[in-house]
């Protein structure tokens, strides 16, 4: 692992306070999240022209390497450089076959025109201003290289039946807490405009969905279960009564054999001008 002087981690992401169980819980959540949707994300990557010939690929915000490891397994001939500002988190990616660099994604220690592809997955939603990171990605892309940005939009991220409308205000507090920390869980609707503003060409949006028709309902627990809400109780943003309500409704949902859930991801792509 290469360590470079990096500014302190900024934005709304704190791996030790994202879900129940602290850092260990977050590592498990990141692994479960990748396992749930990587097949669909890989399909979008391939449809966008990402293959073993387009490298090196730079993954900004690689975190614990949950996706990095899967990329290396799916595309073993693709050189990958994994970057994260949190060295302790990135240390969990050791041994995945990628070059690991601890650095701010808006200030990469990489030369101009280094990469054939840059991947940012659930990173921009944590930044108060995503443009510096997008323009830095453009700097390290060679002409014709591709950026791939995957995000959510809280207004259309999850479709569940039964829906439990009484939980709307509870889940809204997750969005509000992220916004108060400088993040934006509504960023999905702005992805294409952000890429164009940063100077990318041929910008396109490719949504993908993961449902419990294809995966067990229990696999959606890191997203729908009460674990994500527990840190809000500790911070005082959520009451114990609200947390108990969310836990009760999740238990009802997971026991309902007719329950349906669809999680929608949004992937925006763009090309570095030739």
């Amino acid at each position: 692992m290469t360590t470079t002087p990096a500014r302190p981690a900024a934005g709304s992401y704190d791996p030790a306070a994202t879900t129940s169980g602290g850092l260990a819980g977050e590592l498990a959540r990141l692994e479960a999240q990748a396992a749930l949707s990587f097949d669909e994300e890989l399909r979008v990557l391939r449809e966008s022209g990402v293959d073993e010939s387009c490298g090196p690929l730079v993954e900004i915000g690689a975190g614990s390497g949950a996706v990095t490891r899967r990329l290396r397994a799916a595309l073993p001939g693709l050189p990958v450089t994994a970057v994260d500002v949190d060295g302790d988190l990135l240390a969990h990616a050791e041994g995945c076959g990628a070059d690991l660099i601890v650095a701010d994604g808006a200030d990469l220690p990489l030369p101009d025109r280094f990469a054939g592809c840059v991947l940012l997955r659930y990173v921009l939603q944590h930044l108060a201003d995503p443009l510096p990171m997008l323009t830095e990605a453009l700097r390290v892309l060679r002409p014709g290289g591709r950026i791939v940005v995957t995000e959510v939009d809280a207004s259309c991220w999850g479709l569940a039946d039964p829906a439990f409308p009484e939980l709307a205000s509870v889940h809204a507090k997750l969005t509000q807490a992220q916004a108060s920390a400088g993040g934006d869980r509504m960023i999905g609707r702005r992805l294409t405009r952000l890429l164009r503003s940063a100077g990318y060409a041929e910008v396109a949006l490719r949504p993908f969905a993961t449902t419990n028709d294809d995966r067990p309902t229990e696999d959606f627990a890191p997203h729908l279960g009460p674990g994500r809400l527990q840190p809000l109780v500790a911070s005082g943003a959520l009451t114990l009564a609200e947390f108990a309500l969310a836990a009760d409704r999740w238990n009802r949902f997971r026991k309902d054999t007719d329950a349906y859930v669809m999680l929608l991801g949004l992937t925006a792509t763009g090309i570095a001008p030739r």
Side-chain angles (χ1 to χ4, degrees):
M1 179 187 297
T2 300
T3 303
T4 63
R7 293 189 294 273
S12 64
Y13 181 61
D14 179 354
T18 295
T19 191
S20 60
L23 179 58
E26 175 62 357
L27 291 172
R29 187 190 73 85
L30 291 172
E31 192 64 30
Q33 181 196 66
L36 182 66
S37 62
F38 181 74
D39 288 347
E40 282 299 303
E41 294 180 54
L42 180 62
R43 176 184 60 79
V44 172
L45 283 170
R46 285 177 162 151
E47 290 175 353
S48 302
V50 177
D51 58 27
E52 292 182 321
S53 68
C54 74
L57 180 146
V58 177
E59 182 187 4
I60 300 176
S64 62
V67 166
T68 319
R69 287 188 291 273
R70 288 169 170 80
L71 279 172
R72 294 287 301 134
L75 300 169
L78 176 65
V80 176
T81 297
V83 180
D84 202 277
V85 73
D86 188 329
D88 292 337
L89 193 59
L90 190 62
H92 293 275
E94 289 281 7
C96 70
D99 293 329
L100 308 183
I101 298 176
V102 181
D104 188 332
D107 187 17
L108 298 170
L110 297 172
D112 294 355
R113 303 186 176 192
F114 168 82
C117 181
V118 171
L119 173 64
L120 293 107
R121 181 180 176 274
Y122 305 125
V123 174
L124 298 187
Q125 64 173 278
H126 296 293
L127 306 178
D129 183 5
L131 279 176
M133 192 171 289
L134 291 176
T135 55
E136 179 68 348
L138 184 59
R139 179 187 68 79
V140 302
L141 276 172
R142 60 176 176 254
R146 185 175 301 273
I147 189 169
V148 180
V149 183
T150 294
E151 276 298 348
V152 299
D153 191 303
S155 67
C156 58
W157 171 78
L159 184 155
D161 183 20
F164 303 120
E166 63 270 28
L167 290 183
S169 62
V170 173
H171 289 296
K173 291 190 176 182
L174 186 63
T175 300
Q176 293 163 4
Q178 188 163 329
S180 67
D184 181 8
R185 283 182 62 81
M186 302 288 193
I187 198 170
R189 67 191 65 183
R190 299 197 291 128
L191 288 182
T192 53
R193 294 180 180 182
L194 283 168
L195 290 184
R196 291 189 183 100
S197 296
Y200 293 91
E202 300 179 38
V203 174
L205 186 68
R206 294 174 170 84
F208 64 90
T210 308
T211 80
N212 64 340
D213 282 344
D214 304 312
R215 302 292 301 244
T217 298
E218 203 63 38
D219 287 0
F220 293 80
H223 299 290
L224 303 179
R228 287 298 306 278
L229 299 172
Q230 188 168 321
L232 297 183
V233 178
S235 70
L238 197 71
T239 68
L240 283 172
E242 290 171 321
F243 180 79
L245 177 67
D248 174 76
R249 296 306 188 266
W250 165 243
N251 284 329
R252 290 192 196 182
F253 187 87
R254 58 195 284 268
K255 293 175 183 178
D256 185 343
T257 57
D258 291 325
Y260 177 78
V261 58
M262 179 185 73
L263 299 186
L264 182 68
L266 300 172
T267 296
T269 61
I271 300 292
R274 303 180 188 276

